[in-house]
Amino acid sequence: MVVKNVIDTINKTVKWVVIILFFLMVIAVFLQVIFRFIVDQPLAWTEELSRYLLIWLTFLGTGYGMSMKAHPSIEFLYEKVGNTMKKGFIILSTALILFFFWQIIVNSFEFIGRSMTQTSPVLQLPMGLVYTVIPISSVLFVINLLQVSVAEWRRGASQ
Amino acid sequence: MAWLLFGVLIILFLINIPVAVALGLASMIVLMVQDNVPLMVVVQKMFNSTDSFTLMAVPFFILAGKLMETGGISKRLMNFAGSLVGNLHGGLAMVSIVTCMFFAAVSGSAAATTAAVGSILIPAMVKKGYDKSFSTAIQAAGGTIGVMIPPSVPLILFGVIAGASIGDLFIAGIMPGIFVGISLIIVAYIISRKRGYGKEEKSSIKEIAISFKDAILALLMPIIILGGIYGGIFTPTEGSVVAVVYGLIVGLFIYKEIKWKDLPEIFISSGVTSAVILFIISCASIFGFILTREQIPQQMTDTMLGITTNAIMILLIMNIILLIVGTFLETSAAIVILAPILVPIASAAGIDLVHFGVVMVVNLAIGMITPPVGINLFVASNIAKIRLEHIVRAIVPFLIILIVDVLILSFMPSISLFLLDK
């Protein structure tokens, strides 16, 4: 129960972060349009900022989306097999996805470490900081994946 | 290596791993087997592929579509369509397709078009005595126009991957979208005529004028956006943000059907929908990297040209591949996997890139109304609360006409290209 509450709180927080990032992205790009046409003074920072917002939106939205099983998969074989096979599929696929994100997390640390001293052209942000979204979202994805897999497993067991 | 890559990918698909992760993982496994590429390249590719101003048009057009769907625009478009074609046999069936065509011009997604139009018209049709499975099938079929008439998310993805102009692709999608719409209307008319579905009252000129005035804000939007993009006033991404702001203003202040408290839900659901698509792009970039390194597209091109050099035959073969893949792969995934392989073949055969993009998207749209993974079928059957099996038979006539359409569009490039003066 405690675990579930913690996961729910994390997802709720991420949900609002995604909403705010998306909203800021709309404002940044719209300002770009306004400043170029109406004020006739192009802004330098809007394109860069909005690109980084898009990256954060994409990866955080990916991790959050796992909590609602938003990622499409090819389900037709899974739906046809019996219960024992289903459980086998759940274990195998969960293990493989964990392996994927484990590799992503490990390698992203190296990537972030290398680029901390490198700064973005306009906003002067350390690029390593922008990249931190990759391990953060990977952890979020994994947490939600485990919760979804456990729920699927139990549903199979109760049938 | 090509066999390993595709073999692993298919196995991962079959054990129900999300398409995006399967693409990333299969590529990662190939890199690990090769043992000479540091895996950091995976992270780098995933990151760089989403670091794109052009791709930002995807979330913005999805958000704009969602705002239009919630903001009362679909209802007004329906009333206008009703005043135009309601008095034909099977009036409401005609209305639903024409409304889909209008809605396609403000939305970039087929599922959103099906949902927006279907949630009003399916209940309306059932109430007027139309067969429930027919009403659902027509909505699923009409929704496919959502990705043909611009804006279109799949056309943006194709443009980004194939390096084609998104403005050109949008313009090239207009006539095929209208063409497909008319063909669906003809099929719906024949079926309605045979079953004796009724007509709605004929609207007077005055009523047409009133419904037109009501719908004008919705009809004006695509003109502003497409005119702006094609006139070189703004980029597709800037056009997409203008669409968002337009949708917000109309929904919040003019039609007043969106409440402030609805906004977080609209943003998060559009945000997740976009993230899912962009994550597929992100993982597919590693896949694309391996394809290029292993020169798989060149090998495929050579093989294909070894079989035939006839452009019509090549296009026919590619159409068959797309039709098959489209039935079990979701559209954006199919584009990111197949475009890097098929585009070089198409250009080697002298097929216009923009034309090919439109053919590819129309073809994959057919996959949206075929089981097992027809997204439009799911959406429409959810709205109608009818089991999927029950609409499968009703969808067949629409499926046949769509296949005929895609062949006509393939072999008459002028339908997609004539607005571009090519």
Side-chain angles (χ1 to χ4, degrees), chain A residues 32 36-37 51 72-73 131, chain B residues 16 19 47 51 233 238 265:
Chain A
Q32 173 167 329
R36 218 175 62 213
F37 294 113
R51 279 197 343 254
S73 59
Y131 300 147
Chain B
N16 199 24
V19 170
F47 187 89
D51 185 7
I233 302 170
E238 290 171 340
E265 260 330 296

Side-chain angles (χ1 to χ4, degrees), chain B residues 10-248:
Chain B
I10 290 169
I11 294 171
L12 297 178
F13 278 164
L14 289 178
I15 60 171
N16 199 24
I17 287 187
V19 170
V21 179
L23 279 166
L25 186 54
S27 317
M28 191 185 264
I29 290 170
V30 169
L31 289 177
M32 289 174 121
V33 170
Q34 284 185 327
D35 196 43
N36 57 354
V37 188
L39 283 185
M40 214 177 77
V41 82
V42 171
V43 181
Q44 205 173 357
K45 290 278 164 207
M46 283 178 76
F47 187 89
N48 288 342
S49 58
T50 44
D51 185 7
S52 150
F53 192 69
T54 316
L55 270 183
M56 221 175 288
V58 171
F60 286 153
F61 276 128
I62 288 175
L63 177 59
K66 188 85 191 161
L67 288 166
M68 304 293 165
E69 189 187 324
T70 325
I73 282 178
S74 30
K75 200 170 60 195
R76 290 171 174 85
L77 289 175
M78 179 192 84
N79 290 339
F80 178 52
S83 72
L84 293 179
V85 291
N87 64 318
L88 299 171
H89 280 280
L92 283 181
M94 312 288 116
V95 172
S96 70
I97 291 173
V98 175
T99 312
C100 281
M101 290 164 75
F102 285 147
F103 197 80
V106 297
S107 164
S109 131
T113 305
T114 307
V117 183
S119 56
I120 311 174
L121 270 156
I122 294 174
M125 285 176 75
V126 172
K127 209 164 129 193
K128 286 262 174 170
Y130 288 78
D131 177 48
K132 200 171 189 179
S133 57
F134 173 72
S135 317
T136 316
I138 202 170
Q139 222 46 250
T144 60
I145 304 169
V147 293
M148 302 170 195
I149 294 182
S152 158
V153 170
L155 283 176
I156 298 173
L157 299 184
F158 180 87
V160 168
I161 289 165
S165 150
I166 291 167
D168 283 357
L169 285 164
F170 276 6
I171 299 297
I174 298 175
M175 289 316 288
I178 295 174
F179 175 77
V180 168
I182 292 172
S183 74
L184 291 176
I185 287 177
I186 293 170
V187 172
Y189 181 81
I190 294 169
I191 296 175
S192 302
R193 192 84 213 233
K194 223 165 79 187
R195 298 191 183 171
Y197 290 140
K199 310 172 181 183
E200 305 302 307
E201 265 173 53
K202 194 168 164 58
S203 307
S204 64
I205 297 292
K206 198 173 155 219
E207 282 165 327
I208 296 179
I210 290 171
S211 66
F212 175 73
K213 196 180 122 263
D214 242 14
I216 188 143
L217 284 172
L219 296 169
L220 216 55
M221 188 192 124
I223 296 171
I224 298 172
I225 308 299
L226 288 178
I229 295 171
Y230 206 61
I233 302 170
F234 37 65
T235 62
T237 304
E238 290 171 340
S240 66
V241 86
V242 172
V244 168
V245 174
Y246 189 93
L248 277 171

Side-chain angles (χ1 to χ4, degrees), chain A residues 14-16 18-19 22-23 25-27 29-30 32-33 36-37 46-48 50-52 54-55 57-62 64-66 68 70-78 89-90 92-94 96-97 99-101 103-105 107-108 110-111 114 127 130-131 133-134 141 152, chain B residues 12-21 24-25 28-29 32 38-40 42-44 46-48 50-53 55-56 59-60 63 232-235 237-239 241-242 244-245 248 263-268 270-272 274-276 278-280 282-283 286 328-330 372-373:
Chain A
V14 174
K15 175 181 162 178
W16 279 99
V18 170
I19 292 170
F22 203 170
F23 192 69
M25 205 167 91
V26 172
I27 293 177
V29 181
F30 193 60
Q32 173 167 329
V33 176
R36 218 175 62 213
F37 294 113
T46 49
E47 173 165 341
E48 193 178 295
S50 59
R51 279 197 343 254
Y52 297 155
L54 177 72
I55 293 164
L57 171 82
T58 300
F59 286 98
L60 286 179
T62 297
Y64 173 74
M66 187 59 224
M68 50 183 84
H71 298 281
S73 59
I74 297 176
E75 291 172 333
F76 70 82
L77 186 62
Y78 178 79
F89 277 25
I90 293 174
L92 190 59
S93 63
T94 309
L96 285 167
I97 300 171
F99 172 77
F100 175 74
F101 281 106
Q103 290 295 332
I104 296 286
I105 292 170
N107 285 289
S108 65
E110 199 188 330
F111 189 49
R114 281 192 193 183
M127 284 311 288
V130 182
Y131 300 147
V133 72
I134 296 179
F141 193 105
E152 290 267 300
Chain B
L12 297 178
F13 278 164
L14 289 178
I15 60 171
N16 199 24
I17 287 187
V19 170
V21 179
L25 186 54
M28 191 185 264
I29 290 170
M32 289 174 121
L39 283 185
M40 214 177 77
V42 171
V43 181
Q44 205 173 357
M46 283 178 76
F47 187 89
N48 288 342
T50 44
D51 185 7
S52 150
F53 192 69
L55 270 183
M56 221 175 288
F60 286 153
L63 177 59
I233 302 170
F234 37 65
T235 62
T237 304
E238 290 171 340
V241 86
V242 172
V244 168
V245 174
L248 277 171
L263 286 181
E265 260 330 296
I266 295 174
F267 271 78
I268 191 68
S270 316
V272 170
S274 315
V276 166
L278 294 171
F279 186 55
I280 294 176
S282 172
C283 289
I286 323 163
F328 57 87
L329 215 55
E330 187 261 344
V373 274

Side-chain angles (χ1 to χ4, degrees), chain B residues 364-409:
Chain B
L364 291 173
I366 297 175
M368 297 169 180
I369 60 162
T370 53
V373 274
I375 175 87
N376 285 11
L377 287 184
F378 291 135
V379 173
S381 62
N382 261 338
I383 296 170
K385 302 199 174 47
I386 180 175
R387 286 178 65 88
L388 203 65
E389 300 89 278
H390 295 156
I391 29 173
V392 171
R393 191 201 292 238
I395 202 84
V396 170
F398 297 108
L399 198 58
I400 294 171
I401 190 71
L402 280 174
I403 293 174
V404 172
D405 285 347
V406 86
L407 291 174
I408 295 174
L409 291 171

